[in-house]
Amino acid sequence: RLFKDAGADIILTNTFGGTRHRLKLHKAEERVRELNRIGASLGREIADAAGRPVVVAGSVGPTGDIFEPMGTLTHAHAVEMFHEQAEGLKEGGADVLWIETISAAEEYKAAAEAAKLAGMPWCGTMSFDTAGRTMMGLTSAGLVEMVKGLPYPPLAFGANCGVGASDLMRTVMGFVAAGPAVPLIAKGNAGIPKYHDGHIHYDGTPELMAEYAVLARD
């Protein structure tokens, strides 16, 4: 509601860790569809009462597992987990799947395939570090190339979180230089979170985030 009141045209659901693998940590792996449906319906309720068009984006975070051969996650299992979450978000009234904070190309592709299975439009962002790469080594130019080759492409793609808004700008400039054909997403966080006087504190301010938002748009 606060995001909507602040003027957001897109609001994200509280379902970032909503895959079976993540919910297993809370012994809730059998409630994937239910929890995602409820999360989306809460967003739908706010959007429908806004008095203006507000998009409900179903947040889908990474599984938290690593793909073969380095890890144990297979493509088929990743698609299955993302699809299960997507169906719950769809039932709850999400307009679009918002796949975010992905670091591996394989996981991005699996999520895209799941979106197609669910018959849902999607957007997809990856997180880039201070070296301009995702944790698994993909560059901004690499993401542009990957998106071009997807059989079920996103409505928009880009970067989220990472180490702060300034580094995000560098990544966005990398996207622009590669000449993408679809809109870009810049969703930075307000600096690096630090533990300060018993709570998590971000260095960024609303004024600073506004300046970076304008820079990203321009």
Side-chain angles (χ1 to χ4, degrees):
R1 186 174 285 113
L2 289 171
F3 278 107
K4 181 268 295 178
D5 291 346
D9 297 313
I10 302 173
I11 54 174
L12 268 65
T13 59
N14 64 336
T15 54
F16 179 81
T19 59
R20 175 170 289 269
H21 192 84
R22 301 301 296 174
L23 289 174
K24 193 176 185 179
L25 301 174
H26 309 282
K27 298 183 172 56
E29 64 269 29
E30 298 308 319
R31 300 180 65 196
V32 174
R33 201 143 169 167
E34 172 202 1
L35 293 173
N36 281 280
R37 174 177 52 77
I38 293 168
S41 67
L42 290 170
R44 185 79 266 156
E45 183 183 327
I46 299 300
D48 289 348
R52 59 184 173 84
V54 175
V55 172
V56 178
S59 177
V60 176
T63 63
D65 212 342
I66 296 175
F67 275 73
E68 295 179 329
M70 290 170 65
T72 57
L73 186 61
T74 64
H75 176 78
H77 191 206
V79 171
E80 184 183 337
M81 281 196 285
F82 284 131
H83 183 214
E84 183 180 30
Q85 181 178 14
E87 289 292 350
L89 291 167
K90 183 179 180 180
E91 283 174 12
D95 297 304
V96 61
L97 297 178
W98 194 278
I99 296 153
E100 56 181 345
T101 326
I102 306 295
S103 63
E106 297 88 349
E107 192 156 30
Y108 198 90
K109 290 173 183 176
E113 192 172 317
K116 183 178 182 180
L117 285 173
M120 288 282 285
W122 68 286
C123 298
T125 58
M126 301 186 87
S127 282
F128 295 81
D129 60 23
T130 50
R133 294 175 178 270
T134 69
M135 184 176 71
M136 303 308 281
L138 197 71
T139 63
S140 53
L143 177 55
V144 175
E145 279 304 305
M146 179 170 67
V147 166
K148 280 181 188 173
L150 289 173
Y152 189 65
L155 298 177
F157 74 95
N160 76 297
C161 288
V163 290
S166 56
D167 275 310
L168 183 88
M169 284 303 306
R170 180 183 57 187
T171 302
V172 170
M173 288 164 72
F175 293 145
V176 172
V182 296
L184 296 173
I185 297 166
K187 186 175 175 285
N189 54 10
I192 298 286
K194 297 182 178 69
Y195 195 71
H196 182 69
D197 288 341
H199 69 99
I200 298 294
H201 172 74
Y202 282 85
D203 290 337
T205 64
E207 294 75 22
L208 193 60
M209 289 301 286
E211 285 191 33
Y212 276 117
V214 171
L215 284 170
R217 180 203 64 193
D218 291 348

